[in-house]
Amino acid sequence: MEILAPLLQYLISGLTNGAIYALIALGFGIIYNATTIINFAQGEMVMLGALCAISIYHVNPSLPLAFAGGVAMVTVIGLVFERLALRPVRDPSPISLIIITVGGAVFIKGIAMLLWGKDPYSLPPFTSNVPIGLGPATILPQNLWVLGVGALLVLFLEAFLRLTLVGKAMRACAYNPRAARLVGISTGRMVQLSFGLSAALGAAGGILIAPLTLGVYDMGTMLGLKGFSAAILGGLGSILGGVLGGLLLGVAESLASGLISSGYRDAVAFLILLVALFIRPQGLLGGKQ
Amino acid sequence: MRLPRLLNRWLLFTAAVFLIALLMENEYYLTLLNFIGIHTLLVVGLNLLMGYAGQISLGHAAFFGLGAYTSGILTVTYGLNPWLAMLAGMIISGVAAFLIGIPALKLRGYYLAMATLGFGVIVYIVFTEAQAWTGGPSGLAGIPALHLAGLSFDTPWKLYLLIWMVVILILILSASIVDSRIGRALRALHDSEAAAESLGVNTQRLKLLIFVWSALYASLAGSLFAHTMNFIAPSSFDIMFSIKLVTMVVVGGMASVWGSLLGAGVLTILPEVLVFFHDFEVVIFGGILMVVMIFLPRGLVRGLLDLKEFRRYKRQGGAFPV
Amino acid sequence: MKSRASLVLVAVIMAGLICFGAAGAKAEKKPYVIGGIFSITGPASYLGEPERNTMEMLAAELNAKGGIKGNPVKVVIYDDEGDVTKARLHAEKLLKKDQALTIIGPSLTHTSMAVLPITQQAKTPLISCAAGIGITSPAKERVWTFKTAQTDAMAVSRIYQYLKQHNLTKVAILTVSTGFGVSGKEQLTKQAEEYGIQVVAQEVFGEKDTDMTPQLTKIRGTDAQTVICWGTGPAPALVAKNMKQLGVTIPLIQSHGAASRKFIELAGDAADGIMMPAGKLVVYPLLPDTDPQKAVCQEYDKKYQAQYNKPASSFGGYAYDAMMMLAQALEKAGADRAKIRAALEQTKNFVGVSGVFNMSPEDHNGLTPEAFVMVKIEKGDFKLIE
């Protein structure tokens, strides 16, 4: 019991953070599938989601409205980003696309700093703030919201890609863009859709954790990197892989800081990631290239 | 006739470097040029890796930091001769690159990017947390200036001579590597790994060689940086700096030794110029990065040359060969 | 051909640089140039922004009064983004290009340490706004360097005095992994013995971390009687929230880095009961009228509120004290760097926002632990204790 009690607590903390990493990783995966681009501005969508929702909440204190409004605004931003920054690219080599999205991330972060200033903001929790006892550990209702809504979003995404026509078209583009075009799928549309969808997922993640972590203009960079790590760990483009990668990374971090050393937390997490990559170069659930 | 022309070019460049320094009446510009020189060393190495061998590294700041910290710790804590410390830094960085390179260079594309990024994060955290050695986030102070035969490199002007001598030597060295057998093998590797392999190139060994080589450049730059600043702190060696280095390579132009110089120059000067925009600086910086990459995806050197060619073709009434 | 074209390009850029320099060389009627280097953007922007605002506000005010000795004051402020290379470049620029008489800043310990080798070499006074004790000590080697921010050692002794009075002897410390936190950790462990205090757990967190429950879970498993958190920015507020979530009931003491109204706002109801050493600016309305700092703090806060529509922060206070102290020195010394330095060193009984300064050749900070008061948060507001 003595040892188990903190372990459970580490697990709760790790899974909550991991769920957010997973949502960001899915954003990376969706865009990668449609375009083979890694969109390094993905983390900034998380930040925008949190800050937009907070602003809406300040005007009209209704959380469902803030959630829906935040996600909608960021989806539009994702679409605009694709239209302005990626569509006009002349020579889409992976490295120049990386630099463009990095530049985009810097740009978006800068704009957010001008709009919202440098101070952090808080968003009230979705429901009560009283910790729930869970055996020897405690959990906040907001942690449950993160895990629950996160799981729902993943299920929804999976269903969308497997069951709807549009989703099937997106998957077709991922497998073979030329063949997809031959059967009449507009690949441009699908690329657009993938950016909108991943922006929405990122925003949802940002709004979900805002009550736990506060919202501030520079929160996106680190989250983006962690999400990218999770996507790679799980295997690029695999939905289940992204989820698994995110959760594993979150739990690894939390256990590392609890059991080994809080100072070397990220170092331990990244070491695990490196070892995993060296053993399985295509990620945990990635297919052979 | 080829050799004298080549020699001419380098002499011309060396002369230009010193002429420019003489024109700089203000030591601030010399300091700026010194940082450009240090960044050039880093970017040339990374460009050999990215532009010629076709392998990405998002962790090059780690080797830069290893060089800087080895120089700093050995000279400050152990009072070692700075030149020996510099050599020690290169050995440590080289060995680190070798060890991480063996498994990492088997990975491809984004997976390699991730592995090098992870390595960079780990090294950065060690700089921050190993406070007994590195002084932690508050940094390591009191790093002495470099000495050579009674001459102390402690003013921007003397440092300028030292740093740019090194830069010129490294540029010449890199240009001759590119023109050598290894350079041709590298380009083959860049175009198609399988084809290079079938031509008898040991691709794995070649990739490792160039990875270690570029780490040595980075380490050298780090040592020079430490002795220029007399002070180092982990924040100079974070992932953002690695990403900035990749940006310098791409903006200057991949697979171009001169492009490296240009990329390092432009991206070191740009923030200084943008300083007048205050808080808008970051936004403008990001914007410029995007616009340059959208319209000149092959970097400034190639991009501007392409534009020139395009105009010439138009003048002659011909079609532009795409 | 290719390389010639790029050579031309390089030459064009270099030429541009030269013109750029020549254009900046013109000067008007001899103003006193004061340089500023702050972390206005980047992770420490919460320090740099109020510092810049304060410096600009005071310069405008001085000029409205006709300047110093009839000379207008010109402030040139650069943003180092918390990066040592940028800080160094800006310092070089202020020294060589702008010909600053004195430089105020940088905001952080590591950027200050990167700048002071060249300001010392250039024999130009530097008044740092960072906390690190190594910036001004040993004073013999820091002839040209001063600082206005209170040193962590003072905040630590204030906290330990309080703990000793209340017979709390076992503490767990939780520090941020930046210069501020590391220096706090050093002082907390160093001074513990002197006060008969035992440090039973040492944990750290990253500046941008958003979840400290693992560290606090570990602390919960020890027999600590108090948690001391050393951090700045939003993280200390998250520590408070996480403690509440975990049901840790032992008292939480924050550092002066968290002493602001923003902290109470961010921590919400988790802020109740938290204690901390605070600069007097935060609680000036509660101070007795006999306290000399009350009037200074009030004046600063009122002016800052009027201009920027935000309450003044203790970080801006560092720049306020630096600027006011420098104005006094300039009044005495004129545009002579050595005389300015001497005047700064002779500053006595200078009542500032961050404390009462008494500089001397041995002490270029000039503050005592009395610069801090212990406060407790009750019902969303600060209360003085003792």
Side-chain angles (χ1 to χ4, degrees):
Chain A
M1 246 352 246
E2 277 296 289
I3 307 165
L4 274 181
L7 268 185
L8 188 61
Q9 195 70 54
Y10 299 147
L11 211 61
I12 292 171
S13 147
L15 287 176
T16 311
N17 288 327
I20 302 300
Y21 299 159
L23 286 181
I24 305 170
L26 289 183
F28 276 106
I30 293 169
I31 292 182
Y32 178 82
N33 271 346
T35 61
T36 69
I37 294 176
I38 285 291
N39 176 21
F40 278 103
Q42 188 61 26
E44 307 309 322
M45 301 301 162
V46 181
M47 174 272 292
L48 286 175
L51 288 178
C52 286
I54 288 170
S55 289
I56 295 172
Y57 186 80
H58 275 275
V59 179
N60 182 350
S62 143
L63 276 168
L65 183 76
F67 191 93
V71 170
M73 278 166 82
V74 178
T75 309
V76 172
I77 295 171
L79 292 174
V80 172
F81 181 68
E82 191 271 338
R83 180 70 195 79
L84 292 183
L86 295 160
R87 191 103 50 92
V89 177
R90 287 186 182 174
D91 168 23
S93 77
I95 288 189
S96 58
L97 288 170
I98 289 183
I99 305 288
I100 290 171
T101 56
V102 167
V106 173
F107 183 81
I108 293 173
K109 189 160 91 174
I111 295 278
M113 183 182 84
L114 293 173
L115 283 179
W116 280 283
K118 296 155 189 166
D119 284 331
Y121 298 90
S122 56
L123 185 71
F126 292 7
T127 48
S128 106
N129 201 22
V130 183
I132 304 166
L134 204 73
T138 53
I139 189 166
L140 282 177
Q142 189 65 27
N143 293 57
L144 294 175
W145 275 105
V146 173
L147 292 169
V149 177
L152 265 179
L153 285 174
V154 172
L155 285 179
F156 162 78
L157 185 70
E158 185 72 21
F160 169 75
L161 288 179
R162 297 213 171 271
L163 304 178
T164 66
L165 192 63
V166 186
K168 282 178 185 162
M170 268 184 94
R171 279 169 58 220
C173 278
Y175 287 127
N176 190 335
R178 186 172 293 177
R181 219 169 306 148
L182 282 176
V183 295
I185 298 170
S186 158
T187 45
R189 269 288 155 71
M190 293 303 135
V191 170
Q192 222 173 2
L193 186 64
S194 73
F195 270 84
L197 202 57
S198 71
L201 275 177
I207 303 169
L208 282 171
I209 46 157
L212 293 170
T213 68
L214 309 173
V216 63
Y217 80 97
D218 62 355
M219 69 193 282
T221 315
M222 205 58 206
L223 284 172
L225 275 179
K226 292 276 169 66
F228 172 57
S229 311
I232 293 279
L233 177 63
L236 264 180
S238 151
I239 290 195
L240 201 58
V243 174
L244 193 67
L247 294 178
L248 276 178
L249 189 65
V251 172
E253 270 179 14
S254 156
L255 288 180
S257 93
L259 300 179
I260 303 172
S261 147
S262 42
Y264 285 99
R265 183 192 73 176
D266 283 357
V268 174
F270 276 99
L271 201 65
I272 294 173
L273 197 133
L274 284 188
V275 172
L277 275 190
F278 294 158
I279 297 170
R280 265 190 80 82
Q282 71 276 34
L284 296 177
L285 296 180
K288 281 259 181 249
Q289 281 166 323
Chain B
M1 280 318 280
R2 198 169 156 262
L3 193 67
R5 255 187 66 195
L6 205 71
L7 209 65
N8 262 341
R9 186 184 299 163
W10 286 111
L11 283 176
L12 204 73
F13 178 66
T14 311
V17 163
F18 290 104
L19 206 69
I20 284 162
L22 287 176
L23 288 172
M24 298 282 159
E25 45 189 329
N26 197 317
E27 285 189 341
Y28 156 65
Y29 296 108
L30 284 177
T31 306
L32 189 57
L33 286 171
N34 288 344
F35 284 122
I36 294 178
I38 290 170
H39 289 163
T40 305
L41 292 178
L42 285 159
V43 175
V44 170
L46 193 55
N47 206 340
L48 285 179
L49 184 71
M50 283 173 60
Y52 292 97
Q55 310 297 310
I56 194 169
S57 166
L58 285 182
H60 247 53
F63 301 117
F64 182 52
L66 281 175
Y69 268 103
T70 312
S71 272
I73 293 169
L74 289 182
T75 53
V76 173
T77 316
Y78 299 99
L80 198 74
N81 180 307
W83 300 102
L84 284 178
M86 190 180 280
L87 194 68
M90 288 172 77
I91 294 171
I92 291 177
S93 300
V95 170
F98 184 75
L99 292 179
I100 192 76
I102 292 175
L105 291 167
K106 291 193 180 115
L107 302 172
R108 284 154 203 275
Y110 293 122
Y111 293 90
L112 175 62
M114 182 66 238
T116 49
L117 186 145
F119 171 70
V121 171
I122 293 172
V123 172
Y124 170 77
I125 291 172
V126 172
F127 290 154
T128 316
E129 289 301 321
Q131 281 139 18
W133 294 345
T134 62
S138 309
L140 186 68
I143 302 171
L146 285 164
H147 286 269
L148 191 66
L151 181 68
S152 174
F153 296 95
D154 54 359
T155 63
W157 170 238
K158 288 183 212 162
L159 277 166
Y160 179 85
L161 293 183
L162 175 73
I163 290 171
W164 281 90
M165 279 305 285
V166 175
V167 171
I168 290 169
L169 287 176
I170 292 291
L171 284 177
I172 293 178
L173 183 65
S174 310
S176 53
I177 290 177
V178 168
D179 284 336
S180 71
R181 236 184 82 116
I182 294 181
R184 286 193 294 277
L186 280 176
R187 277 191 289 268
L189 171 65
H190 185 244
D191 293 340
S192 159
E193 204 167 321
E197 190 87 51
S198 70
L199 289 172
V201 178
N202 184 339
T203 53
Q204 196 56 30
R205 212 164 72 191
L206 192 62
K207 283 196 271 185
L208 194 59
L209 179 75
I210 214 73
F211 188 63
V212 172
W213 193 250
S214 71
L216 293 183
Y217 282 8
S219 179
L220 178 66
S223 295
L224 287 172
F225 178 75
H227 290 293
T228 305
M229 294 281 289
N230 313 108
F231 171 83
I232 43 174
S235 64
S236 308
F237 314 109
D238 61 1
I239 329 153
M240 286 305 137
F241 188 66
S242 292
I243 292 177
K244 202 164 176 187
L245 289 176
V246 172
T247 312
M248 287 180 185
V249 171
V250 180
V251 167
M254 298 239 279
S256 154
V257 171
W258 292 105
S260 306
L261 181 63
L262 191 71
V266 169
L267 283 176
T268 311
I269 293 172
L270 193 60
E272 290 297 301
V273 178
L274 295 182
V275 137
F276 301 104
F277 295 98
H278 293 295
D279 284 6
F280 287 88
E281 182 200 322
V282 197
V283 179
I284 297 173
F285 183 81
I288 290 178
L289 212 59
M290 284 189 337
V291 171
V292 167
M293 277 297 102
I294 291 172
F295 296 106
L296 303 174
R298 298 207 295 159
L300 282 177
V301 172
R302 296 291 170 93
L304 293 177
L305 280 168
D306 283 355
L307 280 182
K308 205 172 113 191
E309 303 254 292
F310 178 70
R311 240 185 244 139
R312 205 176 67 209
Y313 275 106
K314 230 166 81 175
R315 229 187 358 253
Q316 291 165 355
F320 184 61
V322 181
Chain C
M1 269 321 278
K2 267 180 193 166
S3 54
R4 187 166 311 161
S6 36
L7 255 180
V8 171
L9 244 173
V10 171
V12 167
I13 285 174
M14 299 287 185
L17 247 177
I18 296 169
C19 299
F20 176 56
K26 270 189 207 158
E28 349 152 27
K29 198 195 148 240
K30 268 295 169 195
Y32 286 160
V33 181
I34 305 173
I37 306 174
F38 303 118
S39 303
I40 303 166
T41 57
S45 53
Y46 57 89
L47 298 171
E49 188 169 274
E51 286 164 353
R52 176 199 54 194
N53 291 351
T54 303
M55 201 166 152
E56 282 176 347
M57 177 180 92
L58 286 180
E61 199 184 298
L62 282 168
N63 285 332
K65 282 191 209 150
I68 301 174
K69 290 171 109 176
N71 298 46
V73 173
K74 185 183 163 201
V75 293
V76 183
I77 300 174
Y78 297 119
D79 173 15
D80 66 25
E81 296 167 37
D83 173 38
V84 292
T85 314
K86 287 222 164 87
R88 179 62 162 269
L89 268 171
H90 293 327
E92 195 90 54
K93 191 157 48 179
L94 286 171
L95 293 172
K96 303 287 164 53
K97 198 171 144 230
D98 303 310
Q99 310 273 332
L101 291 173
T102 298
I103 296 174
I104 296 180
S107 314
L108 296 160
T109 303
H110 67 270
T111 43
S112 300
M113 295 299 282
V115 161
L116 66 88
I118 61 165
T119 54
Q120 295 256 97
Q121 201 182 31
K123 298 200 185 326
T124 302
L126 177 80
I127 312 177
S128 166
C129 294
I133 207 164
I135 296 168
T136 51
S137 78
K140 291 247 151 30
E141 290 170 25
R142 300 281 191 267
V143 182
W144 294 88
T145 314
F146 300 85
K147 76 187 192 79
T148 49
Q150 305 100 338
T151 302
D152 305 312
M154 300 167 192
V156 170
S157 40
R158 210 51 172 160
I159 293 175
Y160 279 175
Q161 276 166 19
Y162 173 85
L163 291 181
K164 205 176 169 189
Q165 276 167 23
H166 292 80
N167 279 328
L168 297 164
T169 54
K170 288 188 173 146
V171 300
I173 61 178
L174 183 57
T175 56
V176 66
S177 58
T178 62
F180 181 75
V182 170
S183 152
K185 181 163 83 177
E186 247 172 55
Q187 289 300 326
L188 283 165
T189 45
K190 205 170 104 188
Q191 292 188 27
E193 206 175 326
E194 194 184 317
Y195 289 91
I197 282 164
Q198 194 191 346
V199 177
V200 294
Q202 294 189 23
E203 295 295 325
V204 300
F205 57 89
E207 195 180 12
K208 294 280 152 207
D209 280 6
T210 52
D211 178 25
M212 289 66 155
T213 49
Q215 288 94 322
L216 288 165
T217 305
K218 218 165 146 186
I219 288 174
R220 188 169 63 175
T222 67
D223 57 349
Q225 295 163 311
T226 312
V227 180
I228 302 177
C229 167
W230 216 264
T232 48
L238 295 171
V239 169
K241 283 185 161 189
N242 286 340
M243 268 182 78
K244 190 159 183 254
Q245 177 201 337
L246 292 177
V248 181
T249 49
I250 55 177
L252 171 61
I253 297 183
Q254 294 280 1
S255 74
H256 54 298
S260 67
R261 305 242 158 232
K262 191 79 193 172
F263 172 80
I264 303 182
E265 181 198 320
L266 293 177
D269 52 358
D272 249 21
I274 291 175
M275 289 168 285
M276 60 183 78
K280 292 188 181 166
L281 176 67
V282 185
V283 288
Y284 75 84
L286 306 175
L287 293 174
D289 286 334
T290 50
D291 194 309
Q293 279 181 261
K294 184 169 183 172
V296 180
C297 293
Q298 184 165 10
E299 193 195 339
Y300 173 46
D301 192 40
K302 290 270 152 64
K303 278 193 288 194
Y304 196 93
Q305 289 260 29
Q307 184 141 1
Y308 298 105
N309 206 11
K310 267 186 207 170
S313 77
S314 0
F315 311 124
Y318 304 149
Y320 184 88
D321 292 345
M323 196 66 184
M324 296 303 271
M325 209 183 283
L326 180 62
Q328 207 181 58
L330 280 168
E331 196 72 60
K332 243 198 267 179
D336 180 329
R337 292 183 179 79
K339 283 188 190 157
I340 297 173
R341 191 205 78 82
L344 284 172
E345 197 169 71
Q346 284 152 16
T347 307
K348 292 277 183 265
N349 288 320
F350 177 90
V351 182
V353 169
S354 327
V356 179
F357 292 85
N358 279 297
M359 299 280 185
S360 72
E362 290 77 40
D363 184 2
H364 278 188
N365 184 205
L367 291 173
T368 59
E370 275 62 54
F372 287 114
V373 285
M374 283 299 282
V375 298
K376 187 175 197 170
I377 299 167
E378 271 169 23
K379 296 191 195 103
D381 205 356
F382 290 110
K383 289 273 171 329
L384 287 175
I385 41 183
E386 288 153 304

